[in-house]
Amino acid sequence: MRMKTFRAATSTAAFAKVKSELGDEAVILSNKTVTENGCKCCEIVAAVEGEPARPRRNTRDGVMDAALQDSVGWQREWSQIKGQIMALMKPQMDPSRLSPKQKIALEYLEREEVDERVLTHIYCTLRETPDCAVMTALDPLLKATPFKVGSWANKFHAFAGPGGAGKTSSLIRLALRIKKERPRTRLCLATADGGRGKGRLVLKHYAELGGLAFREIITRDDFALLHQESKQFDMVLIDLPGLSGATNLEEWSCLYGLNECRDLSVHLVLNPYYSRGQFERFVDKYKSEQLASVIWTKLDEACTFGAILNMAFASGLPVSALSYGPGLKNSILPASEEMVWRLLFMRTLPNGDIQP
Ligand SMILES: Nc1nc2c(ncn2[C@@H]2O[C@H](COP(=O)(O)OP(=O)(O)O)[C@@H](O)[C@H]2O)c(=O)[nH]1
Ligand SMILES: [Mg+2]
């Protein structure tokens, strides 16, 4: 048996080291938070029987075996097939069967890059009921649950999403908003985003400035501790790291014990201008039973907003907040359905500015 100790700034980084050096078969003997040079970090002791089995990627057959085991290719192919089925269906959408108002609404949505799946669904609803008001067909497709005290039963709120999407900024802005509107709310800001990253410092800074509690989550022990002491808080907002490579949210949550928390909602932070392939990847990467809403950021940098409706249709998740500027002040609002429809039909940002 080979045994080895690994240290890294976070559990994710330490587990990545274990995986790359000892392979998937490694057994974890211990996993705790330790202090190294005055900084907290994660220490894992892992062991493996004999030599770790590594995929043979250095021969032609090895590469082929590895490629065939990889399911990503199949997923991609399936999404292409779905796209082709939709392309075949589109000519069947006969606009002359719609009223002029219904037709204009569909044209607007198409201009905003609402995808064929959603357009076909709307078309079918409108065709089935000829006098159907456009909003009657659209209403069921989009729900908003505003990110504010009272809207959410859960105490813990984790902000997930790709790096740079706006997780840390949204968390701070929403926390400051809540603090301003309801000064007595006992808020705690927690970071699980890297032991030494910039986001962590920014969060700490604003927590201190706003007189809010601040905690760091480096291993599952830290989260367990935060959970134990959470009685003293009304709301705990957790900044998650952008997950790189093959790591997905479910794996990450298991690693830190967040998956066991019944009192936790995850909010996915996204920008409307990611590509379609990227959205499909994110839906897969961030799927989780705890996923509760989508926060849309960088609306001020987008030129179409169809992605908001596409995502609502594909995931069934409500929109909880809309962010429309780089600054920390006056740049985010808890979402309402009306705000989203204004974006889609009038390109009006939540603050009233019109996007060109
Ligand atoms: N223009 C614009 N910039 C934003 C918005 N939200 C965040 N940003 C900027 O995007 C960058 C990345 O944000 P950050 O919160 O650090 O992303 P994270 O990596 O997901 O935590 C920062 O420079 C933010 O100021 C927004 O709504 N509009
Ligand atoms: Mg961040």
Side-chain angles (χ1 to χ4, degrees):
M1 178 179 270
R2 253 169 18 103
M3 209 165 98
K4 198 164 172 191
T5 303
F6 298 85
R7 278 190 179 178
T10 60
S11 285
T12 324
F15 271 91
K17 280 188 179 176
V18 174
K19 216 169 173 182
S20 95
E21 209 163 306
L22 300 183
D24 290 338
E25 305 299 313
V27 179
I28 307 302
L29 303 178
S30 76
N31 170 15
K32 57 185 180 197
T33 309
V34 296
T35 305
E36 186 179 76
N37 302 330
C39 280
K40 280 190 187 174
C41 68
C42 168
E43 182 188 274
I44 294 176
V45 181
V48 71
E49 290 285 351
E51 278 306 300
R54 290 186 169 279
R56 289 179 302 125
R57 286 190 187 242
N58 53 347
T59 63
R60 203 177 54 174
D61 289 347
V63 169
M64 183 61 93
D65 283 352
L68 287 176
Q69 276 171 20
D70 205 346
S71 66
V72 171
W74 293 105
Q75 285 166 6
R76 236 178 246 149
E77 202 165 297
W78 170 237
S79 97
Q80 273 164 9
I81 293 170
K82 267 196 303 194
Q84 277 158 9
I85 294 172
M86 285 304 164
L88 285 173
M89 282 188 70
K90 211 172 161 216
Q92 314 280 321
M93 291 207 297
D94 176 7
S96 66
R97 297 181 67 175
L98 300 177
S99 73
K101 248 190 184 165
Q102 293 175 333
K103 219 165 89 184
I104 291 173
L106 270 192
E107 279 164 9
Y108 260 78
L109 294 173
E110 194 169 11
R111 177 202 71 178
E112 288 302 308
E113 298 183 21
V114 169
D115 71 32
E116 310 86 58
R117 271 169 281 194
V118 186
L119 291 175
T120 311
H121 179 93
I122 300 168
Y123 173 79
C124 292
T125 315
L126 293 174
R127 204 192 47 189
E128 272 162 27
T129 334
D131 307 325
C132 181
V134 176
M135 277 323 289
T136 310
L138 295 182
D139 262 340
L141 303 185
L142 186 108
K143 290 281 159 257
T145 310
F147 196 102
K148 52 185 179 190
V149 179
S151 296
W152 296 86
N154 286 345
K155 181 179 286 188
F156 290 84
H157 296 272
F159 289 58
K167 299 180 288 300
T168 310
S169 347
S170 305
L171 188 158
I172 294 171
R173 295 171 205 186
L174 289 168
L176 296 178
R177 254 194 95 80
I178 290 171
K179 194 70 195 165
K180 193 169 164 206
E181 281 176 4
R182 303 229 186 174
R184 293 161 78 93
T185 313
R186 296 166 306 162
L187 274 169
C188 173
L189 311 192
T191 180
D193 184 11
R196 294 161 186 132
K198 187 170 152 258
R200 165 186 162 268
L201 293 177
V202 176
L203 207 65
K204 191 171 180 201
H205 172 76
Y206 280 98
E208 279 167 9
L209 216 63
L212 313 174
F214 173 76
R215 299 288 185 273
E216 277 184 72
I217 301 168
I218 293 172
T219 59
R220 59 188 299 135
D221 292 349
D222 300 318
F223 181 65
L225 200 68
L226 176 58
H227 199 258
Q228 273 169 29
E229 59 165 351
S230 64
K231 275 203 185 77
Q232 56 179 309
F233 305 123
D234 299 313
M235 229 176 177
V236 180
L237 308 185
I238 309 173
D239 194 19
L240 301 188
L243 304 176
S244 57
T247 315
N248 62 40
L249 182 64
E250 272 176 352
E251 278 168 13
W252 192 94
S253 300
C254 286
L255 208 61
Y256 286 82
L258 267 68
N259 63 324
E260 288 162 18
C261 179
R262 305 242 165 273
D263 205 9
L264 180 130
S265 301
V266 178
H267 307 276
L268 183 57
V269 181
L270 294 173
N271 308 154
Y273 48 78
Y274 295 130
S275 71
R276 185 176 175 148
Q278 203 91 59
F279 278 118
E280 285 178 4
R281 174 66 64 93
F282 293 149
V283 166
D284 207 38
K285 196 175 174 90
Y286 292 96
K287 70 170 183 285
S288 151
E289 278 181 18
Q290 291 164 310
L291 198 57
S293 86
V294 184
I295 293 175
W296 290 97
T297 57
K298 308 201 182 180
L299 300 177
D300 55 311
E301 291 180 345
C303 56
T304 60
F305 301 100
I308 303 180
L309 194 55
N310 297 340
M311 189 68 181
F313 188 77
S315 69
L317 293 170
V319 180
S320 64
L322 298 168
S323 146
Y324 45 87
L328 282 173
K329 272 196 179 155
N330 304 327
S331 50
I332 201 163
L333 277 175
S336 72
E337 282 136 30
E338 194 190 324
M339 281 179 197
V340 180
W341 295 124
R342 278 181 188 277
L343 266 172
L344 274 159
F345 286 108
M346 296 151 88
R347 297 230 174 116
T348 307
L349 296 177
N351 63 345
D353 287 354
I354 310 273
Q355 273 300 81

